[in-house]
Amino acid sequence: MKIGMTGLGRMGMNMTRRLLRAGVEVVANSRSRAKVDAAASEGAEPCYALEEMPGMLPSPRGVWIMVPAGGPVDETIGRLLPHLEEGDIVIDGGNSWYKDSIRRHDMLKERGVRFLDAGTSGGVWGLKEGYCLMVGGEKEAFEHCEPVFAALAPEGGYLHCGPAGAGHFVKMVHNGIEYGMLQAYAEGFEILEKSPRYELDLAAVSRLWNRGSVVRSWLLELAERVFEEDPHLDGLKGYVADSGEGRWTVQEAMDEDVPAPVITLSLLMRFRSRQEDSFAAKVIAGLRNQFGGHAVKKN
């Protein structure tokens, strides 16, 4: 099996490595020539111009796009499309909105090109542990690319979820759940850290909870590493970004009349994390001082 990979960032480069180690031939492309050179040094076939990639692949061609969601995906498809032929397959492995994936599928289908949306989870650990792949699109295209999915995933770690958009829909909700899980762990560890009675070793607590506890998880394994490196997180700022999936999950919940308070509030807490000193909190402090004489802290 031979596939093109365009986008050699934190995920794309490690995915390329994992494919190569599994015996899959990879044509590697990136805006960065240095990254293409790095992939080539590990066995990939270098491609310095995206438009040349289809000509370097056997028919039907398979091109995996691993670039940021939104405009970059459309731009990449636009550059590839004039060089693709009927039956070729484009795979979007990024965190695209599932409705964009449906649109892209329909647009490419008119040109005879097949499209798969592959929600990809695994982060920087995917090279070692494998990637969980949630794939949407036509079953025939999925089956043609199955050797690639099998090489990237651990045993049982990939699934054809349904027609166009299904893969990114499942990944969207997956990330929404992740928001809630992260927030629950964060709140729990803050309660432990702020205790006036006990000086707790949070790395040890994380390790303990992963030994038979009902809250054991891979996230707790990562928490153990975090607290071992910085027991009180003195070296971190509490700024938490969001890349879109949480917002899309909350919007989908509203559209479907599904109550999702945990995911919604975890998303809002990410917004709060970006404020050094919340103006809304200042308003509340001022009002409490006015109506009840409650003490306030001043700059």
Side-chain angles (χ1 to χ4, degrees):
M1 185 76 185
K2 187 174 186 180
I3 191 164
M5 175 72 71
T6 180
L8 299 175
R10 287 175 298 176
M11 294 278 282
M13 182 64 85
N14 277 346
M15 292 168 72
T16 296
R17 292 186 176 112
R18 188 170 172 91
L19 288 169
L20 290 169
R21 293 175 189 180
V24 176
E25 295 180 77
V26 180
V27 176
N29 167 264
S30 171
R31 290 181 300 176
S32 166
R33 186 179 184 91
K35 289 183 177 179
V36 176
D37 289 341
S41 72
E42 299 190 40
E45 186 176 348
C47 174
Y48 297 102
L50 179 61
E51 291 80 3
E52 295 176 2
M53 179 177 280
M56 302 170 69
L57 295 167
S59 185
R61 303 166 180 86
V63 178
W64 191 301
I65 298 174
M66 209 65 196
V67 302
V73 177
D74 288 320
E75 178 188 354
T76 302
I77 292 175
R79 292 173 62 190
L80 284 168
L81 191 52
H83 309 281
L84 296 175
E85 298 177 353
E86 186 172 349
D88 289 345
I89 302 169
V90 173
I91 306 167
D92 177 11
N95 283 324
S96 293
W97 186 35
Y98 78 98
K99 290 186 179 179
D100 280 341
S101 296
I102 295 171
R103 171 179 58 80
R104 290 167 184 143
H105 168 274
D106 293 345
M107 181 273 293
L108 288 169
K109 187 175 182 179
E110 292 179 358
R111 301 286 294 272
V113 176
R114 297 174 288 179
F115 179 83
L116 295 173
D117 50 285
T120 306
S121 181
V124 296
W125 290 84
L127 175 60
K128 176 184 177 183
E129 305 292 341
Y131 299 89
C132 179
L133 301 171
M134 298 144 264
V135 187
E138 296 170 6
K139 190 68 176 290
E140 185 180 350
F142 167 81
E143 290 173 347
H144 179 79
C145 296
E146 194 164 1
V148 174
F149 302 137
L152 287 170
E155 185 176 356
Y158 66 92
L159 177 69
H160 181 246
C161 297
H168 279 151
F169 182 80
V170 172
K171 179 58 162 53
M172 176 189 75
V173 177
H174 163 283
N175 282 27
I177 293 170
E178 175 192 306
Y179 276 48
M181 292 174 67
L182 289 172
Q183 186 65 31
Y185 281 128
E187 293 172 9
F189 280 116
E190 183 167 7
I191 294 168
L192 295 175
E193 171 71 8
K194 298 294 184 182
S195 170
R197 297 181 181 86
Y198 308 111
E199 183 109 11
L200 296 164
D201 182 339
L202 300 186
V205 171
S206 303
R207 192 179 312 116
L208 169 69
W209 282 352
N210 252 341
R211 304 300 188 273
S213 159
V214 296
V215 298
R216 63 186 182 273
S217 75
W218 182 53
L219 290 175
L220 272 180
E221 293 179 24
L222 299 179
E224 181 182 339
R225 292 170 59 94
V226 168
F227 292 125
E228 284 176 345
E229 294 172 3
D230 190 351
H232 302 289
L233 307 186
D234 295 325
L236 293 177
K237 286 185 68 69
Y239 180 102
V240 186
D242 76 287
S243 53
E245 299 90 337
R247 301 182 189 215
W248 300 334
T249 304
V250 170
Q251 184 60 57
E252 193 69 24
M254 291 191 293
D255 291 345
E256 297 177 2
D257 295 329
V258 174
V262 172
I263 295 173
T264 301
L265 289 175
S266 67
L267 171 65
L268 298 182
M269 287 303 294
R270 293 201 178 193
F271 300 156
R272 174 63 183 89
S273 79
R274 299 166 201 177
Q275 297 176 301
E276 291 279 339
D277 194 3
S278 166
F279 182 79
K282 292 180 181 182
V283 172
I284 294 171
L287 291 174
R288 291 182 76 249
N289 177 255
Q290 290 294 322
F291 72 68
H294 299 289
V296 295
K297 294 183 178 181
K298 296 190 176 183
N299 292 325

